[in-house]
Amino acid sequence: MAHARWHHIVMESQRHALKAVDEWNCSDGNYSDFLTHMHKAWHYLLHAEFRKDKIDYHYKDSKTGRYKLIDGEPKAWDLEWCLKMRYPNARDIVRLNAELFVALRNKVEHRYEHNLKIVTGGKAQALVMNYEQEMVAFFGSKYSLADRLRFPISLQALTAEGRKQLQEAAKKLPKHTRDVVAKFEADIDQAVLDDLRYDYRVRLVPIVGSKTEADLAIDFVKLDELTEEERKVMVEAGRKGMVIIKDRHVEVADKDKLLPKQVARQVEAQVPFEFHIQPEHTEMWRRLGVRPTAGAADPYSTDARYCVYNEAFKSYAYTPAWVKRIVKEIGTAEKYRAFFGKEPRMKMVIPLPKQAVSPTEESGSHPRSKSA
């Protein structure tokens, strides 16, 4: 059976994706090769989509309308342009993730590959998962790579010594290499940076108890498929660093958290003007993206550094760091004015009443100074 041209392009795309993952998981794999193969995997995938949809993906001269040629053949769109055509929104999370690795491919230095691989691990995981989801969404589940990819075994992720090595490796990156990522992310919203489609991070929780034949060594769960209680445990574990060991866990969900009234009171104690829940506090968390508005589809979508959602009470609690952030943002009259666009209401200073003084005290003598 003869396949359409787009099918062969998909097969080439998958070949590069598998090579990329092999390079990443191999103990002596090459980070540059991973970047190159994933670049080609995405490039061929989008070309296959365009071809299947009968979209001409070749450059044309804007004046003549003729194809631009390379070695006598029409020049195909590069990956950056393909991403722009597939994801027209410049803030699209999948597009941003892929564009980061386009930038890294052009800048990576061989001697810092290992360190850069460690720093970008979650983003690379997201790059591969986004590729798989794009493949299946467009061409169907029969083109999935899920049955050919395995979860890697990593001592670095499973031992304290390994984690220390990871942290040390990240510190050794030279400034100009770190800046590749830092500059790329400078104007990206925090909500995007925290999204799993941009940076895929996981927490491994050892499974204990009896094992059935259906159990897998690695099992992924979706939050929307859990019960309310299970969801609460998993979300807090991911956001707040809960450590689950065997049949007990350390719950840190609401420790040291503050209610809005407490936040306002602590802030007002540190600034020279009045600070209230309404309108100041509400406007600050809304404008700084600390938590979603009431009735949001996902109430858990908070900036966990400053705020967490309490499932039991259907309300939000704030961290001491949020108080510090508020004071830093609007702690002076000038900063308040710049943030809110209005004058702060300064605290009233009530003078202490002058203490009454007896005639004897005014004369400078003390009643007890008299001799008995």
Side-chain angles (χ1 to χ4, degrees):
M1 175 183 175
H3 289 287
R5 174 60 180 161
W6 62 258
H7 171 85
H8 296 290
I9 301 176
V10 168
M11 293 298 100
E12 185 65 6
S13 172
Q14 290 188 335
R15 186 180 73 83
H16 282 290
L18 291 171
K19 287 283 290 181
V21 176
D22 285 344
E23 285 292 338
W24 183 277
N25 292 336
C26 182
S27 60
D28 59 351
N30 187 290
Y31 184 63
S32 291
D33 287 345
F34 166 79
L35 295 177
T36 297
H37 285 297
M38 277 310 300
H39 186 103
K40 291 181 178 179
W42 266 103
H43 202 185
Y44 282 123
L45 172 59
L46 296 182
H47 279 187
E49 291 185 13
F50 297 147
R51 191 172 187 91
K52 192 172 188 294
D53 279 348
K54 295 180 172 54
I55 296 173
D56 188 356
Y57 53 93
H58 296 89
Y59 290 107
K60 289 184 177 181
D61 189 290
S62 58
K63 295 181 179 179
T64 66
R66 296 178 180 178
Y67 288 115
K68 294 183 178 181
L69 304 178
I70 294 183
D71 296 330
E73 296 291 330
K75 181 182 178 182
W77 292 345
D78 59 24
L79 179 55
E80 287 183 275
W81 192 253
C82 287
L83 290 168
K84 291 177 181 178
M85 295 298 101
R86 171 61 183 86
Y87 306 101
N89 180 2
R91 299 289 91 185
D92 185 277
I93 298 173
V94 174
R95 171 177 162 179
L96 285 170
N97 172 265
E99 287 178 334
L100 171 63
F101 283 93
V102 171
L104 287 173
R105 180 174 180 245
N106 297 333
K107 296 287 186 179
V108 65
E109 296 180 54
H110 178 71
R111 58 179 171 160
Y112 297 118
E113 284 184 19
H114 176 69
N115 307 64
L116 195 56
K117 177 179 178 180
I118 290 171
V119 172
T120 60
K123 298 175 177 64
Q125 180 70 55
L127 180 72
V128 175
M129 294 189 71
N130 292 341
Y131 169 87
E132 163 75 359
Q133 291 172 1
E134 177 73 12
M135 175 72 75
V136 173
F138 195 92
F139 295 104
S141 58
K142 70 176 182 178
Y143 287 93
S144 171
L145 295 177
D147 62 334
R148 283 175 275 179
L149 299 180
R150 304 290 181 271
F151 194 87
I153 296 175
S154 173
L155 290 177
Q156 287 181 319
L158 300 177
T159 67
E161 292 77 10
R163 290 184 62 195
K164 185 176 180 181
Q165 290 176 9
L166 292 176
Q167 294 166 351
E168 290 300 320
K171 294 178 182 177
K172 293 178 181 177
L173 276 176
K175 184 178 184 300
H176 66 274
T177 304
R178 292 196 305 270
D179 284 350
V180 174
V181 178
K183 290 179 180 178
F184 184 87
E185 296 182 343
D187 297 325
I188 299 178
D189 294 339
Q190 188 62 45
V192 173
L193 299 179
D194 291 340
D195 195 291
L196 293 180
R197 291 169 294 172
Y198 183 79
D199 193 350
Y200 193 91
R201 293 165 293 172
V202 297
R203 184 177 302 280
L204 298 179
V205 181
I207 299 174
V208 296
S210 58
K211 182 179 184 296
T212 69
E213 293 183 359
D215 285 340
L216 299 174
I218 301 294
D219 188 20
F220 290 90
V221 297
K222 294 182 178 180
L223 290 180
D224 55 7
E225 295 177 355
L226 301 176
T227 65
E228 287 297 322
E229 187 61 28
E230 290 171 337
R231 177 185 171 91
K232 179 181 178 182
V233 171
M234 294 300 292
V235 168
E236 294 301 335
R239 290 184 182 278
K240 305 306 296 175
M242 180 188 295
V243 180
I244 302 177
I245 305 176
K246 293 190 176 180
D247 59 351
R248 63 188 180 88
H249 65 264
V250 181
E251 176 62 71
V252 295
D254 293 323
K255 184 179 180 181
D256 299 326
K257 300 301 184 297
L258 305 169
L259 296 175
K261 184 182 294 186
Q262 294 172 304
V263 171
R265 188 182 303 127
Q266 289 192 19
V267 170
E268 189 167 12
Q270 300 179 55
V271 297
F273 43 79
E274 296 180 8
F275 185 87
H276 304 285
I277 298 175
Q278 292 288 357
E280 288 95 347
H281 183 250
T282 299
E283 185 171 346
M284 288 201 73
W285 64 249
R286 182 181 290 117
R287 286 175 56 182
L288 296 176
V290 169
R291 47 156 283 198
T293 56
D298 182 11
Y300 293 93
S301 182
T302 66
D303 185 332
R305 296 173 299 175
Y306 306 126
C307 178
V308 295
Y309 181 67
N310 188 304
E311 175 66 28
F313 298 99
K314 307 293 183 185
S315 62
Y316 293 93
Y318 302 86
T319 67
W322 175 231
V323 174
K324 294 180 181 179
R325 174 73 185 278
I326 293 175
V327 174
K328 181 180 178 181
E329 292 286 343
I330 54 98
T332 66
E334 292 76 14
K335 289 182 177 180
Y336 182 102
R337 198 177 299 116
F339 188 93
F340 293 105
K342 63 180 181 180
E343 292 295 325
R345 184 173 182 179
M346 306 305 289
K347 296 177 184 176
M348 293 183 62
V349 180
I350 303 176
L352 295 174
K354 187 176 181 181
Q355 185 177 358
V357 182
S358 67
T360 304
E361 291 174 318
E362 285 183 333
S363 63
S365 61
H366 193 281
R368 291 187 182 274
S369 64
K370 295 180 180 181
S371 58

